[in-house]
Amino acid sequence: MEPIQIPESILNEMIEHALEGYPNEVCGLIAGRDLNDPRVLRMTNTDPSPVSYRMDPREQLIVEKEMRKNGERILAIYHSHPDSEAFPSAKDAREAYQWNWGAPYIIIGKVKDSPSVRAFYIEEGHVTEVPLETL
Ligand SMILES: [Zn+2]
């Protein structure tokens, strides 16, 4: 499978967000016209907990409108697993359909303990890992 390439600065921004939100999960989007021009959009976790997240649907609408105006799309959806592996939970896989933008899911795992960052496509509850490369 074609690897996803993201700049190291973007990776570091996501890790920083995950550390700030610790011990709760954080969530956000990577938006851009393409992967050469990405930015991190931190989203509010409306259900803050160490084991789940929920994006604010109103905030999501505002962000989508802004992205459309800028000619951007969602390049990836990220969230953290503060103390567990960077692998989609059963809930992540089940609820992925709500965010079916065809974008990969990036998970930052074991946030305090040299974080691991992995990427997955989740389609109809089916999880496929995709290699993640930093530039
Ligand atoms: Zn998760």
Side-chain angles (χ1 to χ4, degrees):
M1 190 175 291
E2 190 103 336
I4 298 164
Q5 297 181 316
I6 58 167
E8 196 165 3
S9 59
I10 295 290
L11 187 81
N12 290 338
E13 267 187 67
M14 290 190 295
I15 292 171
E16 204 172 290
H17 187 197
L19 279 166
E20 280 176 34
Y22 190 90
N24 291 329
E25 292 196 8
V26 300
C27 56
L29 306 170
I30 301 177
R33 288 176 201 87
D34 57 55
L35 276 168
N36 297 316
D37 182 28
R39 62 189 177 112
V40 170
L41 292 168
R42 292 182 176 204
M43 301 289 282
T44 306
N45 182 356
T46 58
D47 183 20
S49 124
V51 292
S52 75
Y53 74 99
R54 183 171 293 128
M55 284 192 195
D56 181 348
R58 272 178 313 172
E59 191 179 25
Q60 190 204 332
L61 285 178
I62 293 164
V63 161
E64 283 181 338
K65 202 170 156 190
E66 184 193 315
M67 289 189 339
R68 238 189 332 269
K69 209 173 68 190
N70 293 343
E72 294 175 312
R73 61 191 177 89
I74 291 165
L75 303 170
I77 302 151
Y78 74 88
H79 73 283
S80 62
H81 283 180
D83 291 304
S84 59
E85 297 293 338
F87 193 85
S89 66
K91 184 172 179 281
D92 290 337
R94 203 169 51 237
E95 294 182 355
Y97 70 92
Q98 294 172 5
W99 310 98
N100 192 8
W101 290 307
Y105 288 79
I106 293 176
I107 301 178
I108 304 120
K110 302 242 171 140
V111 167
K112 286 273 174 176
D113 172 31
S114 63
S116 64
V117 183
R118 293 165 71 185
F120 305 87
Y121 285 108
I122 306 175
E123 275 161 38
E124 292 175 13
H126 195 81
V127 174
T128 311
E129 183 158 16
V130 52
L132 187 67
E133 290 176 4
T134 48
L135 302 172

